[in-house]
Amino acid sequence: MSGTDETVLANARARVRDLMPVEGDLGFRRRCETIVEFLDVQPGELVLDCGCGYGFTLRVLRELTQARLVGLDLQGERVANVRARLGEGVALVQGSALRLPFADAAIDKAVSSEVLEHLPDDRAALAELFRVLRPGGTLVVTVPSARYPFGWDPVNYVLERTTGRHIGGERTFSGIWYGHRRLYDEAGLRALVEQAGFAVAEVRGLTHYVPPFSHLVMYGILKPLLMSGKLPGGLARAGDRCGAPAAGRPRGLVALGGRLMNAIDRRNDDPRLAERVDSFVALAVLAHKPV
């Protein structure tokens, strides 16, 4: 990594961590850092979040860039939720990633984070993203890695290596396979994006060091409690990724938990991490549409 690249990464990392001083899912925060770094948004650019969900990525981009933002999601309930939370600063569209409701070459830059693995046809989605991006436009994709660390999902890690099977569906113990049709390895992901016509600049593994049973705790236990309104106030505010930036720093148990998570995550900051380990929570791709 060149000095310039390291500066861009450090800047993106600092800005995202200032926005999210406490984040239980270390993989999510690092995905946001990488998205900000890879997109390198310039003022006034039109950026599409394809599969915006509840607006987590849109909130980060709204706070940290001066882009014109548009979010797309298939579910009307999610579009309405993001519209209510993020207000007038973001354009929102209900639609399918397999048939984007935008003209050819209408978008400057696009991100699709943790979306392709849910779709029945990931190739069709990438073809649509290629169509709507302008020549020279940037695409950033993140997906769950098929080579994930043991601590992220010990149950499926052991099952896959002993029986060749995993727990799927949308159950508490589904882990990394929750609602996913597939996971990705680096070579396959690069080939998939290149086959859509993009020039791939980088494929990067994100987050190796995590607390044990991270996925189960975050998404099998805490997320359902958050969505049902049953988390205590401090934890609920810390877990509300689309809420307004908190006034002041977290305190008490939330602050303690944040310090512990940050201590673990510092090992993931190692610029030579990929030379030392080969398993990651997620993979990120930086690609461009040729001119």
Side-chain angles (χ1 to χ4, degrees), residues 15-28:
R15 295 169 72 198
V16 170
R17 293 186 186 186
D18 187 59
L19 186 65
M20 292 189 290
V22 174
E23 172 54 51
D25 180 354
L26 302 181
F28 169 75

Side-chain angles (χ1 to χ4, degrees), residues 27-98:
F28 169 75
R29 187 168 66 180
R30 196 165 297 271
R31 290 199 303 272
C32 290
E33 295 167 9
T34 306
I35 289 166
V36 171
E37 175 199 352
F38 278 2
L39 283 177
D40 189 24
V41 177
Q42 303 304 306
E45 288 183 325
L46 181 59
V47 179
L48 167 65
D49 183 359
C50 180
C52 64
Y54 287 102
F56 309 142
T57 302
L58 286 171
R59 182 222 169 180
V60 171
L61 293 174
R62 188 190 67 173
E63 297 291 336
L64 299 182
T65 75
Q66 298 178 52
R68 294 177 294 138
L69 299 173
V70 56
L72 174 137
D73 201 88
L74 183 62
Q75 298 186 30
E77 176 268 333
R78 292 184 176 183
V79 171
N81 183 286
V82 178
R83 183 174 288 118
R85 284 169 168 263
L86 296 186
E88 299 298 323
V90 176
L92 292 157
V93 179
Q94 182 179 357
S96 170
L98 304 181

Side-chain angles (χ1 to χ4, degrees), residues 54 77 81 85 218-233 235-236 239-240:
Y54 287 102
E77 176 268 333
N81 183 286
R85 284 169 168 263
M218 283 297 303
Y219 297 102
I221 300 174
L222 293 181
K223 182 179 178 180
L225 290 174
L226 174 66
M227 300 300 288
S228 64
K230 295 179 181 178
L231 274 185
L235 283 175
D240 184 5

Side-chain angles (χ1 to χ4, degrees), residues 41-42 113 120 146 148 171 187 198 212 282 288:
V41 177
Q42 303 304 306
S113 182
Y148 53 90
R171 294 172 284 184
F198 290 98
H288 304 284

